[in-house]
Amino acid sequence: MVRRMALPQATASLLGVILGATVALAQGAPTVVSPPNPPAGPQGTEMPDPSLSPECRVPGSKLYTLNKLKAVKTALKEKRPVRVLAIGPTSAGTGASATYPVKLETALERSLPEVDIEVDSRGLQGEIASGAAERLRGMVAEIEPDLVVWQVGTHDALARVEVEAFGSALDDAVKWIKSHDIDVVLVNPVYTASMADDAYYTSIVQKVQEVAGREGVPLVQRYEAMRYLSGSSDKGEGHMFGRQFRLNDLGLRCMAEHVTRAITLSLLQPDTAVTGTPQPVLKTLPGSPPAAQAGSAAQ
């Protein structure tokens, strides 16, 4: 388990937003650090989020869909450590991936000043969703997390798992986690130009989006974010990748920042928001078959 003392107050360049408005402030809730919305670009175009590192900056519409995080908010109000369980391939703790839990914890503590964050990383390289779902019960019983951050879909796509079977396993697992009053943030598959026209691969990406919307959980749109960053670099996606679909140090740092941004903004969602209502997802992905496109909402 990665555990450290919380970082000091965030720099003055970030503006503090009080969690839960005035009632939470009266209860002594900690500050959630979040800069103002980025200014619009020429002709109203959306600018990249300035809270991210320059090399990781992506417009919000290409980075996340948001929903409430009740369990994390409760931990903050109770002023106790926030326990995070990270699962998925880059949580496996081998090679460069071993640094991901530290990067995620550091990014979270910068956004949640004076809060102790405990990140427990339990990923397995090559694990598909159904395998992770089978292990979840034991992991949850042992760690008792407030939040599960689940990178999912990349290895299912590489293993050519049947799309509906993948979606069913993911949906069931998310429902089970939520039934135990634990929050979930999903992170969809990585992007590579070689897979961008693969209808099967993009249907897996779309399925993760559908589950996130149906179950009312935040989604980190890693696929779209990496596609955006690849297009803005003369190195394509290569500057974020190592070998064998594994993110390099920069890719892991950007993902930690992206996950943290989705968590921070989801914490600012009002308590009156309706859970389970499908959130906006990516516009139809190139190469997605008609079945994968059904029911998706364009941003």
Side-chain angles (χ1 to χ4, degrees):
M1 180 179 295
V2 180
R3 300 188 63 178
R4 300 193 315 279
M5 294 300 293
L7 298 178
Q9 286 286 347
T11 61
S13 62
L14 298 181
L15 301 180
V17 178
I18 301 301
L19 177 64
T22 55
V23 173
L25 177 59
Q27 296 174 343
T31 299
V32 175
V33 174
S34 176
N37 292 329
Q43 299 180 341
T45 57
E46 184 183 13
M47 298 294 289
D49 190 328
S51 74
L52 303 169
S53 299
E55 58 271 27
C56 301
R57 286 178 183 167
V58 178
S61 66
K62 298 181 182 295
L63 183 54
Y64 47 69
T65 61
L66 306 175
N67 217 297
K68 293 189 296 182
L69 294 173
K70 290 183 178 181
V72 176
K73 187 176 288 189
T74 296
L76 295 178
K77 290 179 179 178
E78 294 176 354
K79 298 183 180 180
R80 60 176 173 79
V82 176
R83 298 180 295 271
V84 180
L85 170 61
I87 59 177
T90 63
S91 302
T94 57
S97 296
T99 67
Y100 170 67
V102 175
K103 294 179 188 298
L104 177 59
E105 184 174 303
T106 298
L108 284 169
E109 289 186 333
R110 284 173 177 161
S111 288
L112 300 172
E114 300 180 346
V115 175
D116 189 19
I117 307 291
E118 302 175 2
V119 176
D120 198 309
S121 181
R122 296 294 180 93
L124 290 177
Q125 286 292 350
E127 185 173 51
I128 62 176
S130 59
E134 291 174 359
R135 295 195 303 124
L136 265 174
R137 287 173 174 78
M139 290 187 288
V140 166
E142 177 187 352
I143 300 166
E144 298 182 347
D146 301 294
L147 171 66
V148 173
V149 177
W150 192 352
Q151 306 163 57
V152 66
T154 299
H155 288 294
D156 293 83
L158 295 177
R160 312 303 279 192
V161 173
E162 199 275 323
V163 175
E164 293 306 317
F166 163 76
S168 179
L170 180 60
D171 210 346
D172 289 347
V174 171
K175 286 178 178 174
W176 185 87
I177 296 169
K178 290 173 58 183
S179 73
H180 287 73
D181 297 321
I182 300 168
D183 293 329
V184 185
V185 172
L186 296 179
V187 183
N188 68 15
V190 299
Y191 166 84
T192 67
S194 63
M195 303 299 289
D197 295 325
D198 185 318
Y200 169 80
Y201 191 90
T202 55
S203 70
I204 290 288
V205 176
Q206 190 75 30
K207 186 61 68 175
V208 178
Q209 295 167 351
E210 292 173 7
V211 171
R214 184 164 57 249
E215 296 304 325
V217 301
L219 170 69
V220 178
Q221 298 172 168
R222 177 167 56 176
Y223 182 93
E224 189 72 359
M226 289 185 65
R227 179 163 63 177
Y228 177 89
L229 292 172
S230 297
S232 61
S233 170
D234 57 5
K235 298 180 181 179
E237 75 271 9
H239 73 301
M240 301 185 73
F241 263 116
R243 297 180 178 179
Q244 299 177 338
F245 272 73
R246 295 185 182 181
L247 296 176
N248 61 20
D249 189 71
L250 174 60
L252 293 170
R253 177 162 61 82
C254 288
M255 187 176 71
E257 290 188 27
H258 295 167
V259 169
T260 295
R261 189 66 174 137
I263 291 171
T264 301
L265 294 182
S266 287
L267 284 171
L268 298 175
Q269 297 297 294
D271 288 336
T272 54
V274 178
T275 57
T277 300
Q279 298 293 302
V281 296
L282 296 179
K283 58 182 178 291
T284 301
L285 296 167
S288 297
Q293 298 171 12
S296 64
Q299 290 212 28

